[in-house]
Amino acid sequence: MAPVKDRNASAWLLPPVPGTNHAMRTDMAQFRDEDEVDIVIVGCGAGGSTLLQRLARAGWKAVALDAGPFWDPERDWVSDEAGSHHLYWTEPRVISGDDPVPLGSNNSGRGVGGSMVHYAGYTPRFHPSDFHTYSTDGVGADWPLEYGDLKSYYEDIEGELPVAGEHWPWGDPHSYPHSPHPVSGNGELFLRGALACGITAKVGPVAITNGRFGNRPHCIYRGFCLQGCKVNAKASPLITHIPDALHHGAEVRADSMVTRIEIDDRTGKATGVHYVRHGRSRFQRARIVAVAGYSIETPRLLLNSASQRFPEGLCNDFDQVGRYLMVQGAPQTAGRFESEVRMWKAPPPEVSSEDFYETDPSKPYKRGFSIQTVSPLPITWAEHVAAQGHWGAKLREYMSDYVHWACLGALCEFLPQPDNRVTLASEKDRNSMPVAHFHYSQCDNDRQLMQAAQGAMEKILKGAGAEEVITIRRFAHLVGGARMAADEQHGVVDADCRSFAVPNLYITDGSVLPTQGSANPALTIMAVAARAANRLIAGGPSKAT
Amino acid sequence: MTALPLDPKDGGGRFPGFDAQGQSPHWDPVTQGVVLARLGRPTDLRFFTVAEEATARALFDQLLGQRHEPRVPVVNMVDARLAEDQTDGWHYEDMEPDPAAWRNTLAELDAEARERLKRPFAELSWEEQTLLLTDIQAAETWRGRQTSRVWSLWTRYACTAFYSHPLAWDEIGFAGPAYPRGYKNLGLNAREPFEVADARPTQDPAAHTAKSQTGRQR
Ligand SMILES: Cc1cc2nc3c(=O)[nH]c(=O)nc-3n(C[C@H](O)[C@H](O)[C@H](O)COP(=O)(O)OP(=O)(O)OC[C@H]3O[C@@H](n4cnc5c(N)ncnc54)[C@H](O)[C@@H]3O)c2cc1C
Ligand code: SF4
């Protein structure tokens, strides 16, 4: 494998102090709407930015539009919880079902860098078993590719972020480019409790620099990863892929909300995208269109792009768009210790265990869960306490005890189900486009996993000496909604992320995942996008048209 | 500003002399601007009507146990969020978007007080208000809505405002922003020079409750 700097020089293109290389942005390429670019990418998050960087390096005329701003971390981000509200996608959305999933701050980001701007920073790989759960376990789905098809892309991206952690014994065992970070009180208790219960726990894997990387500094352990890392220590595409893309001639057009993909009804091909920028409606022509707007906005955009040829929504001939949307069950269990833990010090992502990841034949449920440290800041912690029913003086008393609590989170592999889906609501956004309606209900297996995960976390915390434990049931990480499959009757795109219905339309974000494992998804989303980019490059800019 | 009043039995005074805003010279200027603004004059009310304001003030005082001045100006902070539509965007299919949900649930709360005790919610005694809210919280549904959704709306906004305030941080031992300085002393019982040890580490609020509790996010 070539050294990272020769494949992706982003970290070397940043200034040597925290901040942004402003000249790169002002000098960036600017394509005109009338230019037929090689590719227009909708969304500049995990998937979109990776694709952009790869194609720009290969010499493609590539432009990525993002609905949100082109962040300037020094100016736009703060080291404060309530002051970070603008990082989230807070456009209107409707939720329903037996277990409706709150969105907003807990689920999706906006602006260049996407949700990774405020993600925690865990970057585990999926296990080989994730790619064929249907054949092996009779649940979920089989991917049209296997772990081996992604392995080299995982390695590439781990080098580019870069990822720090101990040698990883689970799934396909591997090691990481950066050594594990020192742990805080929270991580210490997880390791101690796991040891006491005979559970293996390891430090990592986190996309946070441990030592200097290019011009990116070492993490300063300040704990505000979910508020955007002002230090440039935590990876997000804004600093890991966008600088290199710009350097190779790509354009990033921020503040551009794509409202519709245009299809030529005669040829059946995409011709570009309609978008709104600074209040004006515009149209960017392109030879290829790629959508990477997150698991809610991607299906919404396809459904909003109905045409004569696709009356039920783009790529929706087989009623697959928006379906099989998944969330991970993400209960958080906290334990009370007489020692001071001060869990907010150090990054929330520190230590994980994947001991419960795979199907355990002795259990009544299929698939499993992982356990990780999470370290809520005061507002999120107050939500945890309030969820127990406490308010008034009792809430204040619990909160005054904040220094004594440690907190773990689980990620449960909830199964993909056809009726968990995005449709269009009657409500409209400020561009007069129907907003997304997300309907979600759990199945029995999901509930059993949630219960089992809570039990395991309680055991670990008590093993570490916790006096009491309290749990909040919640969800995290949306993926699916335009999944990849072997054929058009079971999914929207093929293994190369190319849509079955439109030969020059690609989807390269978390929407394409057919299953989710119990791993945090960002690394896999980037690996899938990097693989799609390779396929496109092999085909050449004109092959798809 | 002096500390928020909090009875020692409710966790007051556990971090003697601890002063989060005293650390502000160590914060970056953008963060200083955002956080210190919360200590300035509260913004005038723009969203709540006069009647809603009265109910909202009483409700927030109850939810956060704020019985005396100085208070964190929660009603102004929530009003500003709603006036600017600074919500999370999503809403339940069977509930209004947050601004309308706030107006309607405050009106319902007031109506409930008038029906039961013939007075507006804001005119009830502290104990009467507490009892009324305790009843509401205990029921599965309340005035045609799932109680948990209403309760979560109320507590989410209340807690977000209250625990964004440096005076609230003082009582929980949290020093607030940490950039560009960061932390140097990680680990159990490890403190930075500016952190203050809990003076009453055995005051465990969970000691007399069930050893394991569960709630859910709404
Ligand atoms: C609090 C939190 C913590 C998380 N922690 C982790 C973690 O530790 N590890 C992990 O792996 N994952 C984590 N995640 C999830 C992870 O960030 C996402 O899964 C991932 O970023 C999704 O990638 P994506 O490419 O699908 O979309 P995104 O990264 O969200 O990118 C989508 C982009 O598209 C833009 N967009 C959307 N619609 C349009 C449109 N119509 N026109 C123009 N632009 C549009 C958006 O503005 C956004 O920038 C976390 C998420 C949250 C919310
Ligand atoms: S803890 Fe480290 S990675 Fe997280 S925000 Fe702070 S400096 Fe960045």
Side-chain angles (χ1 to χ4, degrees):
Chain A
M1 202 194 306
V4 176
K5 192 178 174 183
D6 298 343
R7 295 185 279 123
N8 177 349
S10 291
W12 289 264
L13 293 164
L14 291 167
V17 288
T20 305
N21 186 336
H22 292 278
M24 277 193 83
R25 295 190 187 176
T26 39
D27 299 347
M28 161 175 84
Q30 288 188 356
F31 299 103
R32 294 176 312 154
D33 285 336
E34 319 65 82
D35 291 340
E36 190 186 57
V37 294
D38 291 325
I39 189 163
V40 61
I41 301 168
V42 182
C44 229
S49 303
T50 306
L51 181 68
L52 181 73
Q53 183 261 345
R54 298 304 204 251
L55 296 181
R57 263 208 173 235
W60 287 39
K61 280 200 283 177
V63 49
L65 310 186
D66 199 286
F70 205 151
W71 300 113
D72 176 351
E74 279 287 287
R75 189 197 64 182
D76 301 342
W77 300 349
V78 289
S79 187
D80 177 68
E81 218 180 349
S84 300
H85 194 259
H86 57 299
L87 298 184
Y88 312 127
W89 186 282
T90 55
E91 294 282 310
R93 287 165 172 172
V94 183
I95 62 171
S96 68
D98 296 342
D99 307 280
V101 178
L103 299 168
S105 56
N106 189 45
N107 279 304
S108 46
R110 62 192 274 267
V112 179
S115 304
M116 284 177 76
V117 162
H118 65 87
Y119 82 147
Y122 277 114
T123 43
R125 294 184 191 179
F126 279 23
H127 288 194
S129 67
D130 284 319
F131 297 82
H132 43 252
T133 62
Y134 187 71
S135 311
T136 314
D137 295 306
V139 294
D142 290 351
W143 294 46
L145 46 76
E146 287 292 337
Y147 174 84
D149 296 311
L150 281 188
K151 178 169 175 158
S152 67
Y153 298 96
Y154 275 138
E155 290 165 350
D156 283 351
I157 303 279
E158 282 166 355
E160 291 164 64
L161 293 178
V163 182
E166 289 186 79
H167 178 79
W168 218 242
W170 296 284
D172 174 28
H174 57 278
S175 43
Y176 289 110
H178 275 204
S179 54
H181 286 273
V183 298
S184 71
N186 203 18
E188 208 175 311
L189 289 169
F190 184 3
L191 291 169
R192 184 195 293 177
L195 190 66
C197 309
I199 293 167
T200 306
K202 294 282 173 188
V203 182
V206 297
I208 298 175
T209 50
N210 187 4
R212 213 171 169 77
F213 178 71
N215 286 335
R216 284 170 54 196
H218 195 294
C219 165
I220 61 168
Y221 305 112
R222 65 187 191 113
F224 283 88
C225 304
L226 272 64
Q227 285 65 38
C229 180
K230 279 177 90 94
V231 177
N232 282 347
K234 186 193 76 174
S236 90
L238 182 69
I239 56 170
T240 61
H241 288 80
I242 295 301
D244 193 67
L246 298 189
H247 188 66
H248 285 90
E251 179 188 349
V252 169
R253 208 174 295 160
D255 308 309
S256 301
M257 174 74 185
V258 175
T259 52
R260 204 156 57 81
I261 299 160
E262 184 69 30
I263 298 292
D264 181 337
D265 274 327
R266 192 180 47 83
T267 61
K269 286 183 181 156
T271 56
V273 298
H274 296 272
Y275 67 103
V276 180
R277 182 160 208 251
H278 300 162
R280 291 173 54 214
S281 294
R282 296 166 54 168
F283 180 71
Q284 175 67 56
R285 295 179 62 218
R287 274 211 288 265
I288 299 177
V289 173
V291 186
Y294 195 75
S295 283
I296 303 271
E297 292 306 312
T298 289
R300 174 188 174 212
L301 179 60
L302 295 175
L303 295 173
N304 270 333
S305 301
S307 63
Q308 225 175 342
R309 160 70 187 83
F310 295 101
E312 302 303 321
L314 190 51
C315 303
N316 203 21
D317 290 345
F318 295 89
D319 194 19
Q320 291 289 311
V321 172
R323 289 193 186 275
Y324 302 101
L325 198 64
M326 293 163 271
V327 291
Q328 283 169 331
Q332 294 188 353
T333 302
R336 207 271 175 189
F337 295 84
E338 195 165 315
S339 304
E340 289 189 10
V341 184
R342 296 186 182 257
M343 62 177 161
W344 66 87
K345 289 167 68 172
E350 293 194 297
V351 178
S352 352
S353 173
E354 294 174 11
D355 263 9
F356 306 96
Y357 197 108
E358 304 284 341
T359 298
D360 175 348
S362 72
K363 295 287 188 322
Y365 50 80
K366 303 284 186 193
R367 305 303 295 163
F369 53 90
S370 62
I371 299 177
Q372 303 173 330
T373 47
V374 291
S375 306
L377 288 169
I379 293 173
T380 324
W381 178 241
E383 219 178 284
H384 194 132
V385 172
Q388 316 302 316
H390 302 308
W391 52 285
K394 197 72 196 170
L395 172 75
R396 295 276 286 280
E397 193 197 355
Y398 259 94
M399 291 301 292
S400 77
D401 204 43
Y402 184 32
V403 299
H404 295 284
W405 292 78
C407 194
L408 302 179
L411 296 176
C412 306
E413 179 175 349
F414 282 6
L415 298 171
Q417 300 180 68
D419 293 337
N420 288 338
R421 70 181 305 194
V422 164
T423 53
L424 296 177
S426 51
E427 207 173 314
K428 306 240 166 85
D429 69 4
R430 62 191 285 268
N431 295 313
S432 306
M433 299 307 288
V435 307
H437 180 145
F438 176 27
H439 178 95
Y440 190 83
S441 304
Q442 291 168 22
C443 64
D444 252 1
N445 201 75
D446 298 345
R447 280 184 276 269
Q448 292 180 47
L449 278 178
M450 192 92 131
Q451 200 56 46
Q454 177 174 340
M457 290 191 290
E458 291 182 348
K459 198 169 133 197
I460 292 169
L461 286 164
K462 288 185 173 157
E467 296 148 342
E468 293 85 19
V469 291
I470 58 178
T471 297
I472 176 171
R473 299 212 167 133
R474 45 186 294 288
F475 306 105
H477 305 148
L478 277 75
V479 294
R483 68 178 183 177
M484 60 168 66
D487 62 58
E488 58 192 2
Q489 307 195 9
H490 297 93
V492 180
V493 298
D494 66 16
D496 297 343
C497 297
R498 178 174 172 155
S499 77
F500 290 116
V502 180
N504 65 336
L505 178 69
Y506 287 73
I507 299 174
T508 58
D509 63 3
S511 318
V512 303
L513 271 49
T515 62
Q516 58 182 349
S518 17
N520 321 58
L523 181 81
T524 298
I525 295 171
M526 292 178 118
V528 166
R531 182 176 179 279
N534 247 20
R535 294 311 178 102
L536 273 165
I537 293 164
S542 54
K543 276 284 175 62
T545 51
Chain B
M1 223 189 279
T2 48
L4 298 173
L6 185 64
D7 200 301
K9 79 168 172 31
D10 300 329
R14 291 179 73 163
F15 303 93
F18 179 61
D19 175 18
Q21 39 178 306
Q23 295 304 312
S24 63
H26 301 282
W27 306 343
D28 70 278
V30 184
T31 302
Q32 280 172 349
V34 167
V35 176
L36 296 179
R38 295 176 196 144
L39 297 164
R41 199 182 75 82
T43 51
D44 294 326
L45 298 193
R46 289 164 285 166
F47 178 83
F48 291 129
T49 63
V50 174
E52 288 161 1
E53 176 191 348
T55 315
R57 271 187 201 284
L59 173 64
F60 288 133
D61 281 352
Q62 282 285 336
L63 292 178
L64 296 162
Q66 293 207 92
R67 295 191 71 165
H68 311 286
E69 290 297 326
R71 287 177 171 85
V72 172
V74 174
V75 74
N76 306 68
M77 295 163 90
V78 172
D79 181 275
R81 268 188 79 179
L82 294 171
E84 286 157 21
D85 205 8
Q86 218 199 84
T87 68
D88 258 8
W90 59 271
H91 68 87
Y92 294 102
E93 186 183 23
D94 57 5
M95 235 163 100
E96 316 83 325
D98 288 4
W102 265 106
R103 284 201 200 291
N104 295 337
T105 56
L106 288 174
E108 301 275 346
L109 179 59
D110 206 42
E112 179 93 24
R114 289 170 198 269
E115 284 165 28
R116 287 213 214 171
L117 296 153
K118 312 280 176 271
R119 275 169 296 146
F121 184 74
E123 303 302 334
L124 305 184
S125 72
W126 180 267
E127 288 70 26
E128 286 170 329
Q129 289 171 346
T130 307
L131 269 179
L132 189 72
L133 290 173
T134 307
D135 281 357
I136 292 174
Q137 191 196 18
E140 188 73 16
T141 59
W142 177 61
R143 299 181 87 87
R145 298 168 187 270
Q146 287 192 37
T147 311
S148 59
R149 294 184 183 173
V150 177
W151 197 261
S152 142
L153 177 81
W154 291 349
T155 52
R156 252 186 297 132
Y157 278 76
C159 289
T160 301
F162 189 79
Y163 286 104
S164 72
H165 201 282
L167 288 180
W169 299 341
D170 287 348
E171 82 188 23
I172 65 175
F174 173 73
Y179 176 75
R181 179 173 51 190
Y183 297 117
K184 300 205 166 50
N185 301 315
L186 307 181
L188 293 176
N189 291 321
R191 278 179 295 275
E192 314 298 312
F194 53 88
E195 291 179 318
V196 170
D198 178 9
R200 302 198 301 275
T202 55
Q203 184 172 349
D204 174 1
H208 304 293
T209 55
K211 293 289 169 213
S212 159
Q213 300 173 47
T214 310
R216 73 179 289 175
Q217 180 196 40
R218 297 279 176 181

